[in-house]
Amino acid sequence: MAEAHQAVAFQFTVTPEGIDLQLSHQALTEIYLSGVRSWKKRIIRLKNSVITGVYPASPSSWLFVVIAILATMYTRSDPSMGLIAKIQEHLPVSQSMSSQCQALVSAVVFSTMLWLLLIFTMRLCLKQLLSYHRWMFEQHGKMSNTTKVWVALVRIFSGRKPLLYSYQASLPNLPLPAIKDTVKRYLESVRPLMDDEKYERMTQLAAEFESSLGNRLQWYLKLKALWAANYVSDWWEEYVYLRGRGPIMVNSNYYGMDFLHVTPTPIQAARAGNTIHGFFLYRRKLNKEELQPIRIPGTSIPLCSAQCERLFNTTRTPGEETDNVQHWQDSDHIAVYHRGRYFRLKVYQAGRLLCPREIEFQIQRILDDPSPPCKGEVHLGALTAGDRVPWANARTKYFSSGVNKRSLDCIEKAAFFVCLDDDEQGMMGDDPVASLDRYAKSLLHGKCYDRWFDKSFSVVYYKNGKTGVNGEHSWADAPVLAHLWETTLATDCFQLGYNTEGHCKGEVDTSLPRPQKLNWEIPPECEEQISQSMEVAQALADDVDFHVFVFRDFGKGKIKRCKVSPDAFIQMAIQLAYYRYRGTFCLTYEASMTRLFREGRTETVRSCTNESSAFVRALDGGEVSPCKLRLFRAASEKHQNLYRLAMTGGGIDRHLFCLFIVSKYLGVDSPFLKEVLSEPWRLSTSQTAMQLQLFDLVNHPEYISCGGGNDYKHHLSLLQVADDGYGVSYSICGENRINFHISCKHSCPDTDAHKFGAEIMKSLHDLLQLLSPNQHQHQPRKTEDKSTEVKKDL
């Protein structure tokens, strides 16, 4: 009751003696401090906007230019060649100023104009420098003189202390490929997948398209490329993600895992306390732009950071035709789910961020709360897991006013979503492989109602102290969330730590207001819709066949000694495994990033090539080793070249996608584009990179995550993904490990995640045997690891 009174800033009652006004000083103080915090953030945002706006110069450089111009004027020389005098003649307030004051003001105006011109010139030079990509195509370890000069110039024009978004205005726009180049590369990519008759037909369709409709569609794209910062990204977000009307759970959302061998504490609330605090420390740096600009690992080349803006305080809201991504500038609370109930947990008190021990205390309060769920509340989250149109209709009808709207706002406007799970997960027990599979499925879809799949990300905390994250895909790609996740894991273990009992460090203010339980008034009609969404989601989740394993027989160390790209090596192994398992080749999707360009997201690398298929056939066809080795080198080099082209704007799939969108806007049909967009992708692959600088895998190899993944089918509303396909996500961890996440459908009799995983392992060994026959012994160790080791005192 006392806490309820404290939440009210003032109360008044009408009595016979008049109005009795009662003020709550604690509530008013809280309001004041919250306002101060809000204004501090606005001032910081304004300051950073100024610093970023004048980058690669600095605001202090303005004073240097002004002093330099005034100094030259003092020596009776005119650096402006008469411009200062012209400015002085046209000053609007020249009548009320002395001649000396007029000269001073004119000199300051000229200096400012000169300073802005220098900034524009430097930014233009930096933009041109960042448009140079020949360095990516040079042989590894051999840098040309041109590239050496380019590296030096980039460092000169990059400034000394860039903020997170400092490079944004200097990043080049994504180039628009020529129609003939895209068509040529497309035909080359589908040649190993078609017989002569089908290929001849596709060649004719392509020639007709290139000579007629293609040029018209390309003209519209050229206009967009001139006008927009990125001619792909807005359409990609809208048509590939937001316009999809099927469930985003499994189809679009993805997950990230905890440490594989270490559980820093077995106490669920303590693990939540440290990591939630770590998330907000990251958000503080993000808001102040104190995070280092994201760069290509091992280089000074910046990547676009625009996706970081919507990392926190963001949710996807459903619509009848298309969803929307909503982002709020700030949020001082998180939404927490436990045993069918939703809570609002404030993480700021009197303007300060709660310490880890206080957050643990509040989480424990939720875990100990005996209150039952409201009627219909238990499975409420299933609305976000089912089809989008029923969720949009239910949201409009039942959650647009009253107590339901207030509670829904608490969830959607939260910094992020937290799930307190009663299950135990991780690699454990007598069957660690099966436990990893269960762990992955739990993070991907849970019970279909205990996650809020619309939030930018949800953090799951298990009863045994394990954790994981589930991310929504439309607002950004996985590397952005992975950067946050890995940084938070490192902060949890190496900076915050735990005491000897496994609790968070610090003291607790026991007078903290209790977390607020959200209330709902859910009518029977809404409960019926929740049940229908639950059925759709459960059927989808039950059909997911998942297999996660750690390949420890060798890693990038041995692969690099064979002078092969690790990514190309793994992609060739996947091609070999699929051919052995299915006896054919298929259209293969490998995700590549285009963040070298402003607002860049992804591009597709078509990993199945003429060269890779020739090598695979030769390997199992009895060819002599020198021939197989030559074909492998050609295939891996082709793959690397395609990857470089995709990263530097020379990919084909995003260009074809945008041409298709333009054709739909114009209301014209293209048999060529229609056939291209209807081709099924039976292999969807991606590599998850780790921030290895955060973890010492040499001295402490136990601090390694198993990475993450998603179901094999990206939620591509305009692209066809076959039901008989596989998803393969992999992360290369240190020198001796490769983590794999393989998914497919139980309902397809031709797919099996475990069998395909075994084929990949065999293919990896066979490729290393080919490249290094004297060093490799085909005696794979067991990939199962021992049960999780719990470490409390860090």
Side-chain angles (χ1 to χ4, degrees):
M1 185 63 69
E3 288 147 355
H5 284 296
Q6 290 171 3
V8 181
F10 66 91
Q11 295 178 336
F12 69 91
T13 55
V14 179
T15 65
E17 290 77 17
I19 296 177
D20 180 20
L21 182 63
Q22 296 179 350
L23 296 176
S24 170
H25 293 287
Q26 183 175 350
L28 291 176
T29 301
E30 178 69 25
I31 292 171
Y32 167 74
L33 291 174
S34 296
V36 169
R37 174 175 167 268
S38 177
W39 276 103
K40 282 182 178 179
K41 291 191 66 175
R42 293 182 186 181
I43 293 171
I44 290 171
R45 199 175 294 125
L46 177 62
K47 181 194 74 172
N48 289 340
S49 297
V50 172
I51 295 174
T52 300
V54 301
Y55 190 82
S58 63
S60 60
S61 63
W62 172 81
L63 186 60
F64 175 80
V65 175
V66 171
I67 293 174
I69 295 297
L70 291 177
T72 54
M73 291 179 64
Y74 182 76
T75 60
R76 300 189 181 281
S77 61
D78 185 6
S80 69
M81 294 182 292
L83 283 177
I84 293 178
K86 288 287 185 182
I87 294 172
Q88 187 171 345
E89 290 177 10
H90 294 86
L91 279 177
V93 291
S94 58
Q95 302 293 335
S96 59
M97 299 171 63
S98 65
S99 58
Q100 286 184 337
C101 189
Q102 290 178 30
L104 179 64
V105 172
S106 301
V108 171
V109 171
F110 171 77
S111 301
T112 303
M113 293 170 59
L114 178 62
W115 179 63
L116 293 174
L117 180 61
L118 290 172
I119 291 173
F120 176 79
T121 304
M122 292 176 66
R123 186 172 290 175
L124 186 62
C125 290
L126 183 57
K127 191 170 188 176
Q128 291 299 314
L129 288 169
L130 295 178
S131 300
Y132 172 83
H133 298 127
R134 281 180 54 191
W135 63 274
M136 292 192 68
F137 295 87
E138 294 178 352
Q139 188 175 349
H140 183 69
K142 294 183 179 180
M143 186 183 296
S144 66
N145 291 330
T146 302
T147 300
K148 290 178 181 177
V149 173
W150 170 76
V151 169
L153 290 175
V154 168
R155 288 174 179 170
I156 291 172
F157 282 94
S158 290
R160 291 186 301 167
K161 295 181 179 179
L163 298 176
L164 177 62
Y165 302 121
S166 292
Y167 286 105
Q168 291 302 106
S170 301
L171 290 173
N173 291 358
L174 182 68
L176 179 65
I179 282 280
K180 63 177 183 179
D181 293 338
T182 296
V183 169
K184 178 183 177 182
R185 290 170 186 161
Y186 167 77
L187 290 174
E188 184 182 353
S189 73
V190 297
R191 186 64 188 97
L193 309 175
M194 297 180 177
D195 57 30
D196 293 342
E197 182 180 347
K198 288 183 179 179
Y199 184 71
E200 182 62 29
R201 175 179 169 276
M202 183 56 73
T203 301
Q204 292 177 1
L205 288 176
E208 292 172 5
F209 173 77
E210 183 181 345
S211 61
S212 57
L213 180 60
N215 290 323
R216 181 186 174 193
L217 302 180
Q218 180 80 347
W219 187 83
Y220 283 96
L221 273 190
K222 286 180 179 178
L223 285 180
K224 187 182 181 188
L226 287 172
W227 176 253
N230 191 299
Y231 77 93
V232 175
S233 293
D234 57 337
W235 285 351
W236 186 255
E237 178 177 307
E238 179 180 358
Y239 291 101
V240 169
Y241 292 113
L242 298 179
R243 289 215 176 205
R245 301 293 80 200
I248 62 174
M249 183 200 79
V250 171
N251 290 330
S252 177
N253 286 34
Y254 55 94
Y255 66 88
M257 285 183 166
D258 194 5
F259 294 121
L260 195 59
H261 306 290
V262 173
T263 304
T265 176
I267 302 174
Q268 184 178 19
R271 192 76 196 279
N274 259 9
T275 50
I276 290 172
H277 185 82
F279 283 126
F280 279 93
L281 291 179
Y282 188 98
R283 191 183 75 162
R284 179 186 294 170
K285 289 185 176 181
L286 181 65
N287 290 337
K288 293 182 177 180
E289 299 183 30
E290 292 176 350
L291 295 172
Q292 287 293 315
I294 301 172
R295 293 181 168 91
I296 292 180
T299 74
S300 58
I301 311 305
L303 299 176
C304 179
S305 300
Q307 296 180 45
C308 298
E309 295 175 3
R310 298 187 291 182
L311 185 51
F312 293 92
N313 329 320
T314 299
T315 196
R316 172 174 174 164
T317 56
E320 289 195 10
E321 294 184 359
T322 182
D323 292 354
N324 293 292
V325 177
Q326 289 189 288
H327 172 71
W328 291 268
Q329 287 292 338
D330 192 21
S331 178
D332 65 353
H333 73 278
I334 56 175
V336 182
Y337 175 91
H338 179 241
R339 290 184 180 174
R341 305 157 306 162
Y342 293 86
F343 294 84
R344 179 179 185 266
L345 173 56
K346 290 192 66 175
V347 292
Y348 284 87
Q349 175 70 9
R352 68 172 181 86
L353 176 64
L354 298 183
C355 73
R357 186 69 182 90
E358 290 172 323
I359 297 176
E360 177 190 350
F361 176 72
Q362 295 289 71
I363 292 292
Q364 193 61 52
R365 279 178 159 180
I366 294 175
L367 291 171
D368 296 338
D369 191 312
S371 59
C374 298
K375 185 176 180 294
E377 181 182 10
V378 174
H379 294 159
L380 178 62
L383 289 172
T384 68
D387 291 321
R388 303 304 290 176
V389 174
W391 171 210
N393 294 334
R395 189 175 186 273
T396 301
K397 189 173 182 180
Y398 305 113
F399 298 91
S400 58
S401 62
V403 64
N404 286 350
K405 184 180 189 305
R406 290 193 295 272
S407 294
L408 183 62
D409 282 347
C410 284
I411 294 175
E412 294 186 337
K413 295 181 180 180
F416 52 90
F417 192 79
V418 168
C419 317
L420 301 177
D421 206 310
D422 283 339
D423 294 336
E424 294 187 357
Q425 296 291 349
M427 188 174 62
M428 56 189 180
D430 298 330
D431 193 350
V433 173
S435 67
L436 272 182
D437 297 347
R438 290 193 298 270
Y439 183 21
K441 281 179 64 69
S442 176
L443 289 174
L444 183 64
H445 54 68
K447 298 184 177 80
C448 302
Y449 59 82
D450 53 352
R451 317 277 187 260
W452 199 266
F453 294 100
D454 286 353
K455 285 299 291 180
S456 56
F457 67 94
S458 301
V459 193
V460 185
Y461 297 100
Y462 295 102
K463 191 175 182 180
N464 60 342
K466 278 294 179 186
T467 182
V469 64
N470 179 289
E472 200 277 316
H473 216 319
S474 64
W475 61 275
D477 300 309
V480 177
L481 182 56
H483 190 276
L484 164 67
W485 180 237
E486 291 169 2
T487 303
T488 303
L489 289 180
T491 302
D492 171 27
C493 290
F494 309 136
Q495 294 183 28
L496 300 177
Y498 301 87
N499 62 24
T500 54
E501 289 80 26
H503 293 283
C504 297
K505 297 176 182 177
E507 302 297 328
V508 179
D509 179 4
T510 55
S511 66
L512 289 171
R514 297 185 69 87
Q516 175 192 353
K517 184 181 180 299
L518 303 184
N519 294 314
W520 309 87
E521 295 176 356
I522 299 176
E525 298 84 4
C526 185
E527 287 190 72
E528 179 62 27
Q529 182 54 64
I530 292 172
S531 297
Q532 293 176 12
S533 295
M534 182 67 189
E535 289 178 9
V536 171
Q538 193 65 59
L540 186 61
D542 290 344
D543 201 21
V544 176
D545 180 16
F546 232 109
H547 180 38
V548 180
F549 66 92
V550 182
F551 183 80
R552 295 184 296 149
D553 300 330
F554 59 87
K556 71 175 181 181
K558 281 190 175 182
I559 297 173
K560 283 188 171 183
R561 284 196 288 273
C562 297
K563 297 182 179 180
V564 179
S565 158
D567 182 69
F569 184 94
I570 295 171
Q571 285 291 329
M572 292 306 108
I574 293 172
Q575 290 295 316
L576 178 60
Y578 187 86
Y579 182 77
R580 286 172 169 174
Y581 192 65
R582 299 292 292 272
T584 184
F585 298 102
C586 69
L587 197 60
T588 304
Y589 183 113
E590 181 186 4
S592 166
M593 63 91 177
T594 56
R595 291 170 66 194
L596 285 167
F597 305 98
R598 192 171 183 179
E599 297 180 18
R601 290 199 61 164
T602 61
E603 178 58 275
T604 304
V605 180
R606 295 183 169 223
S607 301
C608 182
T609 62
N610 290 317
E611 290 80 1
S612 68
S613 57
F615 161 70
V616 168
R617 286 194 179 99
L619 187 65
D620 282 355
E623 294 286 347
V624 295
S625 292
C627 178
K628 291 186 285 189
L629 191 59
R630 175 177 54 81
L631 290 173
F632 175 82
R633 297 288 182 188
S636 61
E637 184 57 38
K638 177 68 174 182
H639 178 270
Q640 280 299 97
N641 190 60
L642 289 176
Y643 204 98
R644 296 180 186 115
L645 283 171
M647 286 184 64
T648 55
I652 63 175
D653 284 280
R654 300 301 178 267
H655 186 200
L656 292 171
F657 162 78
C658 288
L659 289 170
F660 179 77
I661 297 298
V662 174
S663 72
K664 289 302 178 184
Y665 277 127
L666 296 179
V668 295
D669 286 330
S670 167
F672 171 72
L673 291 177
K674 186 176 181 180
E675 191 138 340
V676 169
L677 271 293
S678 65
E679 292 170 343
W681 300 87
R682 288 189 169 85
L683 270 177
S684 177
T685 69
S686 61
Q687 180 186 170
T688 305
M690 284 187 64
Q691 299 177 77
L692 296 178
Q693 72 275 11
L694 295 177
F695 308 98
D696 183 3
L697 298 184
V698 176
N699 297 316
H700 300 285
E702 67 274 18
Y703 288 100
I704 190 170
S705 168
C706 201
N710 59 357
D711 186 32
Y712 82 94
K713 183 171 77 172
H714 293 294
H715 191 54
L716 309 180
S717 57
L718 286 177
L719 304 182
Q720 299 298 316
V721 183
D723 284 340
D724 59 346
Y726 288 98
V728 183
S729 175
Y730 54 92
S731 56
I732 303 171
C733 304
E735 297 294 305
N736 302 301
R737 288 180 182 233
I738 307 172
N739 299 329
F740 285 92
H741 301 249
I742 302 173
S743 59
C744 59
K745 285 183 176 290
H746 282 299
S747 58
C748 177
D750 298 326
T751 58
D752 186 299
H754 288 75
K755 290 181 180 178
F756 191 56
E759 286 289 353
I760 290 177
M761 283 192 282
K762 183 178 184 302
S763 297
L764 289 169
H765 282 288
D766 289 348
L767 291 187
L768 190 63
Q769 177 70 26
L770 172 68
L771 296 175
S772 172
N774 297 326
Q775 299 178 21
H776 181 61
Q777 295 180 353
H778 196 114
Q779 293 179 350
R781 298 174 299 186
K782 291 182 179 180
T783 56
E784 300 88 358
D785 288 299
K786 296 179 181 179
S787 356
T788 304
E789 175 189 358
V790 178
K791 294 196 174 183
K792 297 182 180 180
D793 190 11
L794 294 175

